[in-house]
Amino acid sequence: QVQLVESGGGLVQPGGSLRLSCASSRNIFNINHMGWYRQAPGKQRELVAAFTSGVISYADSVKGRFTISRDNAKNTLSLQMNNLKPEDTAVYYCNAVENSGTFWGQGTQVTVSS
């Protein structure tokens, strides 16, 4: 079992920045897939950015603006979000996939509005 807790969401103006963090209850070194997903009202949950087998991937809509990183020593996954746009408004979820299953955090709200 892996428990994931997100933090760092909030209200920000367009063009602003936020940094999301995801704390894992255990060591993440051997977790093959960890990523950030988001779900806007009335829309399906979508991948934002992820590490999979050491390879980083981003949704086209966030390339050049968002940066995913992981700190295996601190068991944390982060998402630096710059130049935020109103269309980035969503609940952001941390995700981990390993042999024992798929795990999700409770989500953190990001609202981009003037």
Side-chain angles (χ1 to χ4, degrees):
Q1 289 282 337
V2 180
Q3 292 182 330
L4 304 170
V5 179
E6 302 98 335
S7 61
L11 173 64
V12 63
Q13 293 186 342
S17 298
L18 283 175
R19 186 177 181 85
L20 305 183
S21 293
C22 172
S24 170
S25 61
R26 68 169 187 79
N27 194 294
I28 67 171
F29 180 78
N30 291 322
I31 296 180
N32 185 52
H33 175 89
M34 287 197 76
W36 289 96
Y37 292 71
R38 68 186 180 188
Q39 187 166 18
K43 294 187 177 182
Q44 290 189 331
R45 192 171 297 188
E46 63 175 359
L47 174 69
V48 176
F51 285 92
T52 305
S53 299
V55 178
I56 296 175
S57 60
Y58 293 98
D60 287 342
S61 60
V62 306
K63 283 181 180 177
R65 300 188 297 122
F66 291 12
T67 302
I68 189 173
S69 61
R70 62 192 288 173
D71 187 332
N72 292 336
K74 295 182 178 180
N75 299 322
T76 59
L77 184 74
S78 298
L79 185 69
Q80 178 66 43
M81 305 186 294
N82 298 328
N83 190 22
L84 283 159
K85 303 176 181 181
E87 51 265 42
D88 295 318
T89 296
V91 178
Y92 284 70
Y93 297 91
C94 181
N95 168 266
V97 179
E98 59 170 14
N99 291 338
S100 63
T102 298
F103 305 94
W104 295 92
Q106 82 288 350
T108 185
Q109 176 70 46
V110 171
T111 302
V112 185
S113 175
S114 55

